[in-house]
Amino acid sequence: MTAQPTVTIHEKYQPLLTEQNSRYYLVLGGRASGKSFSVSTILVIRLCEPGQRILYTRYTMTSAETSIIPEFREKIEMLGLSSVFEIRQREIINTQTGSSILFSGIKESSGNQTAKLKSLTGITSWVLEEAEELDDEEIFDKIDMSVRALTAKNRIILILNPSWKTHWIYRRFYEPYMIPEEYNGVVGPVCHIHTTYEDNIRNLPPDILQIIEERKRTNYQKYLHIDRGHWATEITGALWTYDMIAAARVWQIPDLRRIVVAVDPAVTASDTSDETGIIVGGIDYNDHIYILADRSLIGTPLEWARAVVAAYTDYGADRVVAEVNQGGDLVEANIRMVDKTLAYKAVRASRGKRIRAEPVAALYEQGRVHHIGRFAELEDQLCTWSPLSDDSPDRLDALVWLCTELTDKTPAYQKPIVFTR
């Protein structure tokens, strides 16, 4: 007889199995804390109980069979339960208990699915992964009130990396009860589960731990927010705010007349180097800018050059714009090593960052810049940077160069020559 694999779930997640008096379960923590792995494992265990009908959502979800069902198939196999589960395109069913889990996005290309989801009957648990992406509390309320099965315990499980203290989740579940950071326990109808990378440390490679320790040393506030899962407070004097970013979020891309890849290259190439900011965006025929992708990374010059060229190709861009204050001609040389034919433009910062950033922030205030979905790390940089700071955030820099290039109305005869080789 083959021994079945043993799956260990951290004790902090046990209330998802044992706590019976709460309706809401907030699973919050820093990145790399194992939240999604632990919750999906527990949901598979729940499906071994009769009478469970679970709705599993993200705000946006591509094809479930490629984006999320493989993760659940892995947990089913790890638990040695493959023989009792039937896996369909958007649903997994335990053939012995009849319990099932249905996968859906709240937002789809044709609009939001709220009406369709709240009309589902017999739902005993609703799981919202990446809950920080849901900016609209009204959508939450509509689906929440549809989870009212009489035959089983009802649970609403929110899995999230903490956002800003202006987010409705904080204002609703944390602020009124003065919940402290990293709290685990039950307050009112809410069971709070908070984990950090330290609770998942045996599953993390040394290079990830090195990055976390470097962030702890160099930017403690960012370490608290990203790695320990603390709610972020907006910075006094910041040019961007969370509400401004939330208002900029859209989910459909219009016809674009230009697409650009902007690069803020790292100066060094070690494991603890600054990231190279690589932001992709375009401008439509109404002069509205759309941020399409954040391809930023920590890597060698060759690695980030490949990422730049991949972004240029993937999005059909017409130009790469790169800041060369630090790297000079080496920036172009790195990119040309990968692709000698792309259109390239070097830009140099002759003015202070505040002077360059303020017009771009003004475009956000005017509602002329839109984010296609959520870019957590880019948005963190925007909302935590103050013009009085000495920091030089890579993603923010790349975004500023991108928007500057897309809105440049300099007459053609005054523009620098762009070489396409």
Side-chain angles (χ1 to χ4, degrees):
M1 180 177 178
T2 303
Q4 299 296 345
T6 300
V7 178
T8 302
I9 300 172
H10 195 280
E11 62 182 8
K12 287 185 177 179
Y13 296 102
Q14 292 300 319
L16 288 170
L17 289 169
T18 60
E19 167 57 33
Q20 296 296 317
N21 296 320
S22 301
R23 176 176 176 85
Y24 302 103
Y25 298 76
L26 269 63
V27 183
L28 180 146
R31 294 172 193 168
S33 58
K35 300 184 296 296
S36 296
F37 177 93
S38 299
V39 174
S40 58
T41 302
I42 287 172
L43 293 178
V44 172
I45 294 172
R46 280 277 176 220
L47 293 177
C48 295
E49 304 171 3
Q52 300 295 316
R53 181 161 167 76
I54 301 170
L55 172 64
Y56 190 101
T57 64
R58 291 174 178 167
Y59 190 68
T60 56
M61 183 183 290
T62 55
S63 174
E65 60 184 327
T66 59
S67 64
I68 188 64
I69 284 182
E71 297 179 21
F72 277 82
R73 180 182 285 111
E74 175 192 44
K75 309 307 182 300
I76 290 169
E77 292 173 354
M78 289 174 61
L79 292 166
L81 296 171
S82 299
S83 63
V84 300
F85 277 93
E86 178 183 344
I87 300 176
R88 300 178 180 176
Q89 189 173 9
R90 299 178 71 95
E91 188 175 15
I92 295 176
I93 302 170
N94 185 315
T95 56
Q96 289 186 346
T97 63
S99 292
S100 63
I101 182 168
L102 175 68
F103 301 93
S104 178
I106 294 175
K107 177 74 177 180
E108 298 202 352
S109 58
S110 58
N112 75 63
Q113 296 272 80
T114 309
K116 179 180 177 181
L117 294 177
K118 77 185 187 68
S119 67
L120 293 171
T121 59
I123 297 296
T124 59
S125 294
W126 172 33
V127 181
L128 176 59
E129 190 177 12
E130 298 171 351
E132 72 276 9
E133 291 192 357
L134 180 59
D135 294 317
D136 192 338
E137 186 176 4
E138 185 177 343
I139 292 177
F140 174 83
D141 287 336
K142 288 179 179 178
I143 303 176
D144 178 20
M145 293 305 295
S146 70
V147 182
R148 51 177 187 268
L150 298 176
T151 57
K153 164 69 179 170
N154 295 150
R155 296 178 179 85
I156 310 296
I157 302 173
L158 305 184
I159 311 169
L160 66 152
N161 294 315
S163 178
W164 301 89
K165 289 186 177 180
T166 51
H167 198 287
W168 68 266
I169 293 177
Y170 181 83
R171 288 174 170 170
R172 177 166 175 167
F173 294 113
Y174 289 82
E175 189 173 54
Y177 305 100
M178 295 183 289
I179 304 298
E181 298 287 4
E182 303 192 29
Y183 174 74
N184 283 273
V186 177
V187 177
V190 183
C191 176
H192 295 272
I193 298 172
H194 188 108
T195 57
T196 75
Y197 69 97
E198 292 175 339
D199 300 312
N200 190 41
I201 201 165
R202 65 176 184 170
N203 297 314
L204 299 178
D207 56 332
I208 294 297
L209 296 175
Q210 186 178 7
I211 291 171
I212 292 172
E213 288 302 314
E214 180 68 12
R215 187 154 48 227
K216 180 179 180 180
R217 185 183 67 82
T218 60
N219 191 334
Y220 192 66
Q221 289 303 312
K222 185 175 182 180
Y223 163 77
L224 290 177
H225 178 49
I226 293 178
D227 303 305
R228 300 211 67 86
H230 291 197
W231 291 91
T233 302
E234 290 182 348
I235 303 298
T236 302
L239 298 181
W240 285 266
T241 66
Y242 172 80
D243 288 340
M244 188 189 299
I245 298 297
R249 208 177 318 285
V250 296
W251 301 93
Q252 292 180 300
I253 305 172
D255 291 335
L256 301 174
R257 59 183 176 85
R258 286 199 67 199
I259 296 176
V260 168
V261 179
V263 186
D264 179 57
V267 180
T268 58
S270 68
D271 290 339
T272 57
S273 297
D274 292 336
E275 290 179 295
T276 291
I278 305 171
I279 305 297
V280 186
I283 189 166
D284 70 4
Y285 292 90
N286 295 314
D287 289 338
H288 280 231
I289 294 171
Y290 291 81
I291 308 305
L292 305 175
D294 180 355
R295 296 287 184 88
S296 305
L297 78 165
I298 295 175
T300 65
L302 181 58
E303 288 170 338
W304 62 251
R306 285 172 174 164
V308 169
V309 172
Y312 179 88
T313 303
D314 292 347
Y315 286 89
D318 53 78
R319 183 175 298 179
V320 169
V321 176
E323 181 178 349
V324 297
N325 281 47
Q326 302 292 335
D329 293 339
L330 289 176
V331 175
E332 180 179 6
N334 291 334
I335 294 173
R336 295 291 184 205
M337 286 178 62
V338 182
D339 188 335
K340 297 180 180 180
T341 66
L342 55 71
Y344 173 88
K345 177 180 177 180
V347 289
R348 289 175 173 84
S350 59
R351 301 178 298 166
K353 182 170 299 190
R354 177 172 190 155
I355 295 174
R356 291 184 286 114
E358 282 180 337
V360 176
L363 293 174
Y364 278 80
E365 292 177 337
Q366 297 162 16
R368 291 179 54 200
V369 182
H370 311 279
H371 290 199
I372 303 297
R374 180 177 174 82
F375 303 105
E377 294 190 58
L378 168 63
E379 293 167 11
D380 280 350
Q381 285 192 2
L382 294 177
C383 295
T384 57
W385 180 75
S386 166
L388 301 177
S389 170
D390 293 331
D391 289 344
S392 184
D394 34 74
R395 289 174 166 86
L396 183 153
D397 280 351
L399 176 107
V400 168
W401 287 120
L402 172 79
C403 294
T404 302
E405 169 67 18
L406 290 172
T407 56
D408 182 14
K409 296 186 182 298
T410 305
Y413 66 85
Q414 294 182 6
K415 291 184 178 180
I417 297 174
V418 178
F419 294 99
T420 303
R421 295 193 271 241

